[in-house]
Amino acid sequence: MGITYNEKEKVFKLDTAKTSYILGVTDEPGHVVHIYYGKKLRGGSSPTPMPGIDKKNKHWFFDGAWLEYPTAGVGDFREHCIEVKTEDGCNTFEPLYLSHKIYKGKPELEGLPATFAEENNCMTLELVMKDKLIGLEVTMIYSAFEDVDVITRSVRVRNTSGKVIRLTKVLSACLDLNNEDFEAVTLHGSWGRERHIQRRKVGHGRQGVSSERGVSGHQDHPFAALVTPGTNQTLGEVFAMNLVYSGNYEIRYELTQHDSIRMVAGISPYNFEWKLRHGEIFTAPEVVMVYSCEGLGGMTRNFHDLYRNHLIRGKYRNKKRPILINNWEATYFDFDTDKLLSIAKQASELGIEMLVVDDGWFGNRFDDNRALGDWVVNEDKIKGGLNYLVSEVNKLGMKFGMWFEPEMICPESDIYRAHPDWAIEIPGRDPVRCRNQYVADITRKEVRDYIYDSIAKVLRSANVEYVKWDMNRPLSDLYTAGLPADRQGEIYHRFVLAMYEMQGRLISEFPDILLENCSSGGGRYDPGMLYFSPQIWCSDNADAIERLYIHEGTALIYPLSTMGAHVTDCPNHSNGRTTPFDTRGKIALAGTFGYELDVTKISEEERDQIPGQVKMYHRYNDLVREGDYYRIASFRENNWYDCYMVVSKDKKEALVTYVQVLSVAAHGMPAVKLQGLDESITYHVDELDRDINGDVLMNVGLPVNGEFGDFKASLYHLVSQ
Ligand code: GLA
């Protein structure tokens, strides 16, 4: 394991437990080429000869070579990673090997979230390339992990030219592969139906996913996996990339004329132009690469372990989260202290552990048309003040949390009236409104300092133990008074950096606060945000059946411990569906678990189920949070039932969730073949009160009891005998 350099062949080999990644430097002039990524290979040599260059026909090299960091202008006409503009207006950049270093551990990325590791579980290669003519250096940073099959990549670009160089595109990683008839697995959606899985064949031409919304978005997701035909949960080869970034991005793949496939990932070049002065460095975000020859399930478990152990930070990283009740769907804007306390009182009696006050507690915010930015408690609603409310909630034995939307500013707000230039808008143009709000220009230090301070002041004033950080509109009408005309192309990225800086400040000043990110539901659910918050609200749609799709897509990459999931009232507020309360609870159990309804108004029959659900959460949450996740069956594919399970790392315990979405007449449910168990262990299945051997459960199956009727969920708890 680790990283080796074969000096004779000029070949670098990065090994994880089961995978190898190989790159090399060609003979003079010294291009850095990709050689191999896949199942682990023995030895430290290149498995293929290094490509050579015939100077008379150098275009043949650039037209087909597998380059680690392909550039514009030289004659490589496939997807490439970087485009520059020098002072003389040229875009050609031909970086050649300059130096490298290999070391234990992993560096931080300036201003950006990134996975982290210790010296004993990761090694890093930094390989510097330079174009001496224009004086621009690129350092490619690769880290190989020891405990997960993950390689990460990122890039630092440094100007050594003595002049200004403009970067108009800087991606983070490129991967060339021989075509194996790949299919692409990606995630797509919209508000209320985020991260649905899509799979389609990769053809010739350029394809991929992207966002130009300023956030990673509900629509596409900064993730793509190329899979060999027939790949399922247990079999097949998977090459996946996930970008640790929360703004505009692109992940593109192209089947080329030579029948090889090129995949690139990084910040979207849309409206991106970074002015790099002499001596300055631009750092591109990290790409996480996973190779699995054990199907999508193998990929998923690598992502989960990486994010749980090497990305998520803070007090709650490995801890059970308090069961919360959020008042949004219970009251919307119509609440006051008395109403909140009546919900809290009833909730505390049922075992719920935290009250979260959502949108509407501040300024003149009695509907969603005004007051964002006025982060001052509205004491007409919060009668007696925040401290009084929080202490009354605390007296009930509950924690208290609250909602903010720090990156926004409403035209109808005191802050905007005082500082009309603090919104992102173009002078003289009426900016596009969304939910009657503008985006605050947090790229300006004075704006983000003001907003941060007004939020921190509220948090310092009472015992607030949870914050929901929301972000409810995309960016448009880009212009900032904080930058000159020739640097307006930096706004998108500077906005993301500013938001990261604010979240970083928040978690360092309030390390005990549990932070949950949110963006109109799950519109900014990405690894960048997980660096700051251990959980993210998955979707405003908490309908149990829609959540099967959302949870399946989300859990393809992200650990269950990160998935914000609540039991809400029916008919569901987003799609009108009615499902049993019991089913809603069992499906929310796959996430952080909580409630978002008026517990004083639901039926007694439903209320009576809450203590049992609370008990269920406390019984299973350690397993759900820390276990290995296996996707057994998907309603999306079979139009019948959904099934997933978590297995403890020592394989002594497992929890299977089976959801009969649509009842099928005339025949019972066949046994469902489980995965991930120990064949030699005999498990007691609590719900069946039967002992069944692991090999039987995996090869014959668990005899699930398809209940009569739709939308029925069952849990099966397996414990080693
Ligand atoms: C967004 C969030 C919701 C809620 C509302 C409040 O839509 O996703 O959960 O907080 O804002 O306005």
Side-chain angles (χ1 to χ4, degrees), residues 36-68:
Y36 173 81
Y37 185 36
K39 199 168 178 176
K40 191 164 188 172
L41 301 180
R42 281 180 286 128
S45 287
S46 171
T48 56
M50 203 74 83
I53 297 182
D54 163 10
K55 207 170 172 195
K56 291 201 301 296
N57 274 309
K58 194 171 169 186
H59 84 281
W60 276 123
F61 174 78
F62 278 119
D63 222 9
W66 290 8
L67 287 154
E68 278 294 304

PDB file of all heavy atoms in Angstrom, residues 36-68:
ATOM      1  N   TYR A  36      -2.865   3.580 -15.799  1.00  0.00           N
ATOM      2  CA  TYR A  36      -3.810   2.541 -15.368  1.00  0.00           C
ATOM      3  C   TYR A  36      -4.562   2.982 -14.127  1.00  0.00           C
ATOM      4  O   TYR A  36      -3.999   3.623 -13.237  1.00  0.00           O
ATOM      5  CB  TYR A  36      -3.032   1.254 -15.045  1.00  0.00           C
ATOM      6  CG  TYR A  36      -3.868   0.149 -14.441  1.00  0.00           C
ATOM      7  CD1 TYR A  36      -4.650  -0.679 -15.247  1.00  0.00           C
ATOM      8  CD2 TYR A  36      -3.875  -0.066 -13.063  1.00  0.00           C
ATOM      9  CE1 TYR A  36      -5.435  -1.685 -14.682  1.00  0.00           C
ATOM     10  CE2 TYR A  36      -4.641  -1.079 -12.494  1.00  0.00           C
ATOM     11  CZ  TYR A  36      -5.423  -1.885 -13.311  1.00  0.00           C
ATOM     12  OH  TYR A  36      -6.192  -2.878 -12.756  1.00  0.00           O
ATOM     13  N   TYR A  37      -5.839   2.604 -14.051  1.00  0.00           N
ATOM     14  CA  TYR A  37      -6.601   2.696 -12.795  1.00  0.00           C
ATOM     15  C   TYR A  37      -7.506   1.481 -12.764  1.00  0.00           C
ATOM     16  O   TYR A  37      -8.188   1.185 -13.756  1.00  0.00           O
ATOM     17  CB  TYR A  37      -7.420   3.979 -12.748  1.00  0.00           C
ATOM     18  CG  TYR A  37      -8.154   4.220 -11.442  1.00  0.00           C
ATOM     19  CD1 TYR A  37      -7.588   3.850 -10.214  1.00  0.00           C
ATOM     20  CD2 TYR A  37      -9.409   4.835 -11.411  1.00  0.00           C
ATOM     21  CE1 TYR A  37      -8.244   4.089  -9.009  1.00  0.00           C
ATOM     22  CE2 TYR A  37     -10.072   5.082 -10.213  1.00  0.00           C
ATOM     23  CZ  TYR A  37      -9.483   4.707  -9.020  1.00  0.00           C
ATOM     24  OH  TYR A  37     -10.136   4.944  -7.827  1.00  0.00           O
ATOM     25  N   GLY A  38      -7.496   0.758 -11.671  1.00  0.00           N
ATOM     26  CA  GLY A  38      -8.367  -0.409 -11.587  1.00  0.00           C
ATOM     27  C   GLY A  38      -7.950  -1.318 -10.459  1.00  0.00           C
ATOM     28  O   GLY A  38      -7.379  -0.885  -9.446  1.00  0.00           O
ATOM     29  N   LYS A  39      -8.234  -2.596 -10.664  1.00  0.00           N
ATOM     30  CA  LYS A  39      -7.942  -3.612  -9.654  1.00  0.00           C
ATOM     31  C   LYS A  39      -6.449  -3.612  -9.341  1.00  0.00           C
ATOM     32  O   LYS A  39      -5.623  -3.382 -10.237  1.00  0.00           O
ATOM     33  CB  LYS A  39      -8.366  -4.971 -10.201  1.00  0.00           C
ATOM     34  CG  LYS A  39      -8.552  -6.004  -9.158  1.00  0.00           C
ATOM     35  CD  LYS A  39      -9.246  -7.214  -9.743  1.00  0.00           C
ATOM     36  CE  LYS A  39      -9.373  -8.255  -8.652  1.00  0.00           C
ATOM     37  NZ  LYS A  39     -10.116  -9.411  -9.092  1.00  0.00           N
ATOM     38  N   LYS A  40      -6.096  -3.895  -8.124  1.00  0.00           N
ATOM     39  CA  LYS A  40      -4.706  -3.781  -7.693  1.00  0.00           C
ATOM     40  C   LYS A  40      -3.773  -4.658  -8.540  1.00  0.00           C
ATOM     41  O   LYS A  40      -4.075  -5.823  -8.811  1.00  0.00           O
ATOM     42  CB  LYS A  40      -4.598  -4.193  -6.233  1.00  0.00           C
ATOM     43  CG  LYS A  40      -3.252  -3.866  -5.640  1.00  0.00           C
ATOM     44  CD  LYS A  40      -3.339  -3.929  -4.149  1.00  0.00           C
ATOM     45  CE  LYS A  40      -2.062  -3.404  -3.549  1.00  0.00           C
ATOM     46  NZ  LYS A  40      -2.170  -3.263  -2.113  1.00  0.00           N
ATOM     47  N   LEU A  41      -2.636  -4.080  -8.956  1.00  0.00           N
ATOM     48  CA  LEU A  41      -1.618  -4.830  -9.693  1.00  0.00           C
ATOM     49  C   LEU A  41      -0.400  -5.022  -8.798  1.00  0.00           C
ATOM     50  O   LEU A  41      -0.104  -4.178  -7.955  1.00  0.00           O
ATOM     51  CB  LEU A  41      -1.186  -4.049 -10.947  1.00  0.00           C
ATOM     52  CG  LEU A  41      -2.276  -3.707 -11.970  1.00  0.00           C
ATOM     53  CD1 LEU A  41      -1.665  -2.941 -13.136  1.00  0.00           C
ATOM     54  CD2 LEU A  41      -2.967  -4.965 -12.492  1.00  0.00           C
ATOM     55  N   ARG A  42       0.317  -6.130  -9.049  1.00  0.00           N
ATOM     56  CA  ARG A  42       1.549  -6.360  -8.281  1.00  0.00           C
ATOM     57  C   ARG A  42       2.690  -5.531  -8.864  1.00  0.00           C
ATOM     58  O   ARG A  42       2.640  -5.114 -10.010  1.00  0.00           O
ATOM     59  CB  ARG A  42       1.914  -7.837  -8.321  1.00  0.00           C
ATOM     60  CG  ARG A  42       1.078  -8.652  -7.345  1.00  0.00           C
ATOM     61  CD  ARG A  42       1.451 -10.100  -7.388  1.00  0.00           C
ATOM     62  NE  ARG A  42       0.948 -10.747  -8.594  1.00  0.00           N
ATOM     63  CZ  ARG A  42       1.698 -11.467  -9.430  1.00  0.00           C
ATOM     64  NH1 ARG A  42       2.980 -11.621  -9.210  1.00  0.00           N
ATOM     65  NH2 ARG A  42       1.163 -12.035 -10.485  1.00  0.00           N
ATOM     66  N   GLY A  43       3.732  -5.325  -8.095  1.00  0.00           N
ATOM     67  CA  GLY A  43       4.952  -4.689  -8.593  1.00  0.00           C
ATOM     68  C   GLY A  43       4.820  -3.187  -8.763  1.00  0.00           C
ATOM     69  O   GLY A  43       3.766  -2.603  -8.509  1.00  0.00           O
ATOM     70  N   GLY A  44       5.936  -2.589  -9.227  1.00  0.00           N
ATOM     71  CA  GLY A  44       5.935  -1.129  -9.345  1.00  0.00           C
ATOM     72  C   GLY A  44       6.222  -0.652 -10.751  1.00  0.00           C
ATOM     73  O   GLY A  44       6.594   0.505 -10.962  1.00  0.00           O
ATOM     74  N   SER A  45       6.059  -1.552 -11.731  1.00  0.00           N
ATOM     75  CA  SER A  45       6.367  -1.180 -13.111  1.00  0.00           C
ATOM     76  C   SER A  45       5.109  -0.761 -13.853  1.00  0.00           C
ATOM     77  O   SER A  45       3.999  -1.088 -13.451  1.00  0.00           O
ATOM     78  CB  SER A  45       6.918  -2.392 -13.864  1.00  0.00           C
ATOM     79  OG  SER A  45       8.201  -2.653 -13.441  1.00  0.00           O
ATOM     80  N   SER A  46       5.357  -0.132 -15.001  1.00  0.00           N
ATOM     81  CA  SER A  46       4.215   0.201 -15.842  1.00  0.00           C
ATOM     82  C   SER A  46       3.751  -1.059 -16.577  1.00  0.00           C
ATOM     83  O   SER A  46       4.562  -1.769 -17.167  1.00  0.00           O
ATOM     84  CB  SER A  46       4.626   1.260 -16.867  1.00  0.00           C
ATOM     85  OG  SER A  46       3.580   1.424 -17.785  1.00  0.00           O
ATOM     86  N   PRO A  47       2.455  -1.342 -16.579  1.00  0.00           N
ATOM     87  CA  PRO A  47       1.970  -2.524 -17.295  1.00  0.00           C
ATOM     88  C   PRO A  47       1.955  -2.333 -18.810  1.00  0.00           C
ATOM     89  O   PRO A  47       1.750  -3.289 -19.551  1.00  0.00           O
ATOM     90  CB  PRO A  47       0.545  -2.699 -16.762  1.00  0.00           C
ATOM     91  CG  PRO A  47       0.134  -1.353 -16.274  1.00  0.00           C
ATOM     92  CD  PRO A  47       1.373  -0.635 -15.865  1.00  0.00           C
ATOM     93  N   THR A  48       2.127  -1.118 -19.280  1.00  0.00           N
ATOM     94  CA  THR A  48       2.126  -0.858 -20.731  1.00  0.00           C
ATOM     95  C   THR A  48       3.309   0.049 -21.061  1.00  0.00           C
ATOM     96  O   THR A  48       3.790   0.784 -20.195  1.00  0.00           O
ATOM     97  CB  THR A  48       0.831  -0.125 -21.169  1.00  0.00           C
ATOM     98  OG1 THR A  48       0.720   1.065 -20.384  1.00  0.00           O
ATOM     99  CG2 THR A  48      -0.403  -0.969 -20.985  1.00  0.00           C
ATOM    100  N   PRO A  49       3.784   0.012 -22.323  1.00  0.00           N
ATOM    101  CA  PRO A  49       4.895   0.898 -22.676  1.00  0.00           C
ATOM    102  C   PRO A  49       4.462   2.356 -22.630  1.00  0.00           C
ATOM    103  O   PRO A  49       3.295   2.667 -22.871  1.00  0.00           O
ATOM    104  CB  PRO A  49       5.258   0.486 -24.106  1.00  0.00           C
ATOM    105  CG  PRO A  49       4.228  -0.474 -24.559  1.00  0.00           C
ATOM    106  CD  PRO A  49       3.322  -0.814 -23.432  1.00  0.00           C
ATOM    107  N   MET A  50       5.408   3.211 -22.318  1.00  0.00           N
ATOM    108  CA  MET A  50       5.111   4.641 -22.243  1.00  0.00           C
ATOM    109  C   MET A  50       4.956   5.185 -23.670  1.00  0.00           C
ATOM    110  O   MET A  50       5.755   4.841 -24.543  1.00  0.00           O
ATOM    111  CB  MET A  50       6.313   5.312 -21.576  1.00  0.00           C
ATOM    112  CG  MET A  50       6.001   6.605 -20.929  1.00  0.00           C
ATOM    113  SD  MET A  50       5.085   6.370 -19.410  1.00  0.00           S
ATOM    114  CE  MET A  50       6.402   6.035 -18.293  1.00  0.00           C
ATOM    115  N   PRO A  51       3.969   6.026 -23.940  1.00  0.00           N
ATOM    116  CA  PRO A  51       3.845   6.555 -25.303  1.00  0.00           C
ATOM    117  C   PRO A  51       5.020   7.471 -25.647  1.00  0.00           C
ATOM    118  O   PRO A  51       5.540   8.183 -24.792  1.00  0.00           O
ATOM    119  CB  PRO A  51       2.536   7.360 -25.258  1.00  0.00           C
ATOM    120  CG  PRO A  51       2.310   7.667 -23.831  1.00  0.00           C
ATOM    121  CD  PRO A  51       2.964   6.585 -23.031  1.00  0.00           C
ATOM    122  N   GLY A  52       5.452   7.407 -26.915  1.00  0.00           N
ATOM    123  CA  GLY A  52       6.555   8.275 -27.334  1.00  0.00           C
ATOM    124  C   GLY A  52       6.023   9.362 -28.250  1.00  0.00           C
ATOM    125  O   GLY A  52       4.882   9.306 -28.708  1.00  0.00           O
ATOM    126  N   ILE A  53       6.870  10.358 -28.503  1.00  0.00           N
ATOM    127  CA  ILE A  53       6.431  11.447 -29.378  1.00  0.00           C
ATOM    128  C   ILE A  53       7.324  11.495 -30.608  1.00  0.00           C
ATOM    129  O   ILE A  53       8.547  11.527 -30.503  1.00  0.00           O
ATOM    130  CB  ILE A  53       6.516  12.804 -28.664  1.00  0.00           C
ATOM    131  CG1 ILE A  53       5.580  12.820 -27.457  1.00  0.00           C
ATOM    132  CG2 ILE A  53       6.165  13.944 -29.612  1.00  0.00           C
ATOM    133  CD1 ILE A  53       5.547  14.120 -26.721  1.00  0.00           C
ATOM    134  N   ASP A  54       6.690  11.477 -31.778  1.00  0.00           N
ATOM    135  CA  ASP A  54       7.408  11.704 -33.022  1.00  0.00           C
ATOM    136  C   ASP A  54       7.194  13.188 -33.337  1.00  0.00           C
ATOM    137  O   ASP A  54       6.070  13.618 -33.603  1.00  0.00           O
ATOM    138  CB  ASP A  54       6.771  10.793 -34.094  1.00  0.00           C
ATOM    139  CG  ASP A  54       7.151  11.226 -35.492  1.00  0.00           C
ATOM    140  OD1 ASP A  54       8.034  12.098 -35.617  1.00  0.00           O
ATOM    141  OD2 ASP A  54       6.545  10.698 -36.441  1.00  0.00           O
ATOM    142  N   LYS A  55       8.290  13.949 -33.243  1.00  0.00           N
ATOM    143  CA  LYS A  55       8.137  15.401 -33.329  1.00  0.00           C
ATOM    144  C   LYS A  55       7.419  15.855 -34.604  1.00  0.00           C
ATOM    145  O   LYS A  55       6.668  16.831 -34.598  1.00  0.00           O
ATOM    146  CB  LYS A  55       9.524  16.052 -33.235  1.00  0.00           C
ATOM    147  CG  LYS A  55       9.415  17.441 -32.660  1.00  0.00           C
ATOM    148  CD  LYS A  55      10.729  18.050 -32.316  1.00  0.00           C
ATOM    149  CE  LYS A  55      10.463  19.508 -31.940  1.00  0.00           C
ATOM    150  NZ  LYS A  55      11.631  20.309 -31.921  1.00  0.00           N
ATOM    151  N   LYS A  56       7.664  15.096 -35.689  1.00  0.00           N
ATOM    152  CA  LYS A  56       7.043  15.477 -36.967  1.00  0.00           C
ATOM    153  C   LYS A  56       5.514  15.361 -36.883  1.00  0.00           C
ATOM    154  O   LYS A  56       4.790  15.975 -37.621  1.00  0.00           O
ATOM    155  CB  LYS A  56       7.513  14.533 -38.080  1.00  0.00           C
ATOM    156  CG  LYS A  56       8.972  14.662 -38.461  1.00  0.00           C
ATOM    157  CD  LYS A  56       9.227  14.110 -39.856  1.00  0.00           C
ATOM    158  CE  LYS A  56       8.856  12.628 -40.009  1.00  0.00           C
ATOM    159  NZ  LYS A  56       9.600  11.652 -39.218  1.00  0.00           N
ATOM    160  N   ASN A  57       5.069  14.462 -36.018  1.00  0.00           N
ATOM    161  CA  ASN A  57       3.627  14.227 -35.910  1.00  0.00           C
ATOM    162  C   ASN A  57       3.174  14.293 -34.462  1.00  0.00           C
ATOM    163  O   ASN A  57       2.475  13.416 -33.966  1.00  0.00           O
ATOM    164  CB  ASN A  57       3.285  12.856 -36.486  1.00  0.00           C
ATOM    165  CG  ASN A  57       3.077  12.934 -37.975  1.00  0.00           C
ATOM    166  OD1 ASN A  57       2.323  13.769 -38.441  1.00  0.00           O
ATOM    167  ND2 ASN A  57       3.784  12.093 -38.697  1.00  0.00           N
ATOM    168  N   LYS A  58       3.588  15.372 -33.801  1.00  0.00           N
ATOM    169  CA  LYS A  58       3.263  15.496 -32.375  1.00  0.00           C
ATOM    170  C   LYS A  58       1.747  15.487 -32.153  1.00  0.00           C
ATOM    171  O   LYS A  58       1.261  15.128 -31.086  1.00  0.00           O
ATOM    172  CB  LYS A  58       3.876  16.792 -31.854  1.00  0.00           C
ATOM    173  CG  LYS A  58       3.913  16.903 -30.337  1.00  0.00           C
ATOM    174  CD  LYS A  58       4.734  18.110 -29.931  1.00  0.00           C
ATOM    175  CE  LYS A  58       4.587  18.414 -28.466  1.00  0.00           C
ATOM    176  NZ  LYS A  58       5.261  19.649 -28.090  1.00  0.00           N
ATOM    177  N   HIS A  59       1.002  15.903 -33.183  1.00  0.00           N
ATOM    178  CA  HIS A  59      -0.443  15.953 -33.001  1.00  0.00           C
ATOM    179  C   HIS A  59      -1.009  14.568 -32.725  1.00  0.00           C
ATOM    180  O   HIS A  59      -2.020  14.422 -32.059  1.00  0.00           O
ATOM    181  CB  HIS A  59      -1.125  16.598 -34.222  1.00  0.00           C
ATOM    182  CG  HIS A  59      -1.376  15.670 -35.350  1.00  0.00           C
ATOM    183  ND1 HIS A  59      -0.388  15.295 -36.225  1.00  0.00           N
ATOM    184  CD2 HIS A  59      -2.508  15.021 -35.731  1.00  0.00           C
ATOM    185  CE1 HIS A  59      -0.912  14.460 -37.107  1.00  0.00           C
ATOM    186  NE2 HIS A  59      -2.180  14.274 -36.833  1.00  0.00           N
ATOM    187  N   TRP A  60      -0.328  13.509 -33.220  1.00  0.00           N
ATOM    188  CA  TRP A  60      -0.838  12.162 -32.937  1.00  0.00           C
ATOM    189  C   TRP A  60      -0.780  11.863 -31.450  1.00  0.00           C
ATOM    190  O   TRP A  60      -1.642  11.197 -30.900  1.00  0.00           O
ATOM    191  CB  TRP A  60      -0.029  11.096 -33.689  1.00  0.00           C
ATOM    192  CG  TRP A  60      -0.514  10.909 -35.087  1.00  0.00           C
ATOM    193  CD1 TRP A  60       0.225  11.040 -36.225  1.00  0.00           C
ATOM    194  CD2 TRP A  60      -1.842  10.560 -35.502  1.00  0.00           C
ATOM    195  NE1 TRP A  60      -0.551  10.807 -37.322  1.00  0.00           N
ATOM    196  CE2 TRP A  60      -1.838  10.505 -36.915  1.00  0.00           C
ATOM    197  CE3 TRP A  60      -3.035  10.300 -34.822  1.00  0.00           C
ATOM    198  CZ2 TRP A  60      -2.967  10.196 -37.649  1.00  0.00           C
ATOM    199  CZ3 TRP A  60      -4.165   9.997 -35.561  1.00  0.00           C
ATOM    200  CH2 TRP A  60      -4.117   9.938 -36.963  1.00  0.00           C
ATOM    201  N   PHE A  61       0.277  12.381 -30.833  1.00  0.00           N
ATOM    202  CA  PHE A  61       0.405  12.188 -29.381  1.00  0.00           C
ATOM    203  C   PHE A  61      -0.759  12.886 -28.682  1.00  0.00           C
ATOM    204  O   PHE A  61      -1.510  12.285 -27.926  1.00  0.00           O
ATOM    205  CB  PHE A  61       1.751  12.748 -28.913  1.00  0.00           C
ATOM    206  CG  PHE A  61       1.921  12.736 -27.417  1.00  0.00           C
ATOM    207  CD1 PHE A  61       2.239  11.565 -26.746  1.00  0.00           C
ATOM    208  CD2 PHE A  61       1.749  13.902 -26.679  1.00  0.00           C
ATOM    209  CE1 PHE A  61       2.388  11.554 -25.368  1.00  0.00           C
ATOM    210  CE2 PHE A  61       1.887  13.892 -25.302  1.00  0.00           C
ATOM    211  CZ  PHE A  61       2.207  12.717 -24.647  1.00  0.00           C
ATOM    212  N   PHE A  62      -0.917  14.164 -28.983  1.00  0.00           N
ATOM    213  CA  PHE A  62      -1.954  14.921 -28.265  1.00  0.00           C
ATOM    214  C   PHE A  62      -3.369  14.478 -28.633  1.00  0.00           C
ATOM    215  O   PHE A  62      -4.302  14.659 -27.864  1.00  0.00           O
ATOM    216  CB  PHE A  62      -1.781  16.421 -28.507  1.00  0.00           C
ATOM    217  CG  PHE A  62      -0.740  17.025 -27.619  1.00  0.00           C
ATOM    218  CD1 PHE A  62       0.394  17.624 -28.144  1.00  0.00           C
ATOM    219  CD2 PHE A  62      -0.888  16.977 -26.244  1.00  0.00           C
ATOM    220  CE1 PHE A  62       1.351  18.168 -27.309  1.00  0.00           C
ATOM    221  CE2 PHE A  62       0.061  17.527 -25.401  1.00  0.00           C
ATOM    222  CZ  PHE A  62       1.188  18.121 -25.935  1.00  0.00           C
ATOM    223  N   ASP A  63      -3.508  13.913 -29.804  1.00  0.00           N
ATOM    224  CA  ASP A  63      -4.850  13.517 -30.226  1.00  0.00           C
ATOM    225  C   ASP A  63      -5.321  12.229 -29.555  1.00  0.00           C
ATOM    226  O   ASP A  63      -6.505  11.897 -29.601  1.00  0.00           O
ATOM    227  CB  ASP A  63      -4.867  13.339 -31.747  1.00  0.00           C
ATOM    228  CG  ASP A  63      -6.136  13.923 -32.359  1.00  0.00           C
ATOM    229  OD1 ASP A  63      -6.880  14.585 -31.625  1.00  0.00           O
ATOM    230  OD2 ASP A  63      -6.366  13.702 -33.556  1.00  0.00           O
ATOM    231  N   GLY A  64      -4.377  11.503 -28.965  1.00  0.00           N
ATOM    232  CA  GLY A  64      -4.815  10.227 -28.405  1.00  0.00           C
ATOM    233  C   GLY A  64      -4.219   9.872 -27.054  1.00  0.00           C
ATOM    234  O   GLY A  64      -4.725   8.984 -26.377  1.00  0.00           O
ATOM    235  N   ALA A  65      -3.143  10.555 -26.658  1.00  0.00           N
ATOM    236  CA  ALA A  65      -2.462  10.151 -25.418  1.00  0.00           C
ATOM    237  C   ALA A  65      -3.373  10.327 -24.212  1.00  0.00           C
ATOM    238  O   ALA A  65      -4.259  11.179 -24.201  1.00  0.00           O
ATOM    239  CB  ALA A  65      -1.194  10.990 -25.232  1.00  0.00           C
ATOM    240  N   TRP A  66      -3.133   9.490 -23.214  1.00  0.00           N
ATOM    241  CA  TRP A  66      -3.876   9.619 -21.959  1.00  0.00           C
ATOM    242  C   TRP A  66      -3.079  10.573 -21.082  1.00  0.00           C
ATOM    243  O   TRP A  66      -2.038  10.194 -20.530  1.00  0.00           O
ATOM    244  CB  TRP A  66      -3.980   8.263 -21.270  1.00  0.00           C
ATOM    245  CG  TRP A  66      -4.867   7.284 -21.961  1.00  0.00           C
ATOM    246  CD1 TRP A  66      -5.458   7.406 -23.180  1.00  0.00           C
ATOM    247  CD2 TRP A  66      -5.266   6.013 -21.444  1.00  0.00           C
ATOM    248  NE1 TRP A  66      -6.202   6.301 -23.463  1.00  0.00           N
ATOM    249  CE2 TRP A  66      -6.106   5.420 -22.400  1.00  0.00           C
ATOM    250  CE3 TRP A  66      -5.001   5.313 -20.272  1.00  0.00           C
ATOM    251  CZ2 TRP A  66      -6.682   4.171 -22.219  1.00  0.00           C
ATOM    252  CZ3 TRP A  66      -5.566   4.070 -20.092  1.00  0.00           C
ATOM    253  CH2 TRP A  66      -6.405   3.500 -21.048  1.00  0.00           C
ATOM    254  N   LEU A  67      -3.559  11.778 -20.965  1.00  0.00           N
ATOM    255  CA  LEU A  67      -2.803  12.771 -20.189  1.00  0.00           C
ATOM    256  C   LEU A  67      -3.427  12.946 -18.811  1.00  0.00           C
ATOM    257  O   LEU A  67      -4.653  12.953 -18.676  1.00  0.00           O
ATOM    258  CB  LEU A  67      -2.786  14.103 -20.943  1.00  0.00           C
ATOM    259  CG  LEU A  67      -1.868  14.036 -22.165  1.00  0.00           C
ATOM    260  CD1 LEU A  67      -2.287  15.026 -23.233  1.00  0.00           C
ATOM    261  CD2 LEU A  67      -0.424  14.294 -21.747  1.00  0.00           C
ATOM    262  N   GLU A  68      -2.582  13.095 -17.822  1.00  0.00           N
ATOM    263  CA  GLU A  68      -3.110  13.251 -16.465  1.00  0.00           C
ATOM    264  C   GLU A  68      -3.814  14.584 -16.282  1.00  0.00           C
ATOM    265  O   GLU A  68      -4.728  14.705 -15.477  1.00  0.00           O
ATOM    266  CB  GLU A  68      -1.987  13.133 -15.425  1.00  0.00           C
ATOM    267  CG  GLU A  68      -1.611  11.717 -15.080  1.00  0.00           C
ATOM    268  CD  GLU A  68      -2.740  10.974 -14.358  1.00  0.00           C
ATOM    269  OE1 GLU A  68      -3.222  11.438 -13.322  1.00  0.00           O
ATOM    270  OE2 GLU A  68      -3.112   9.894 -14.847  1.00  0.00           O
TER     271      GLU A  68
END
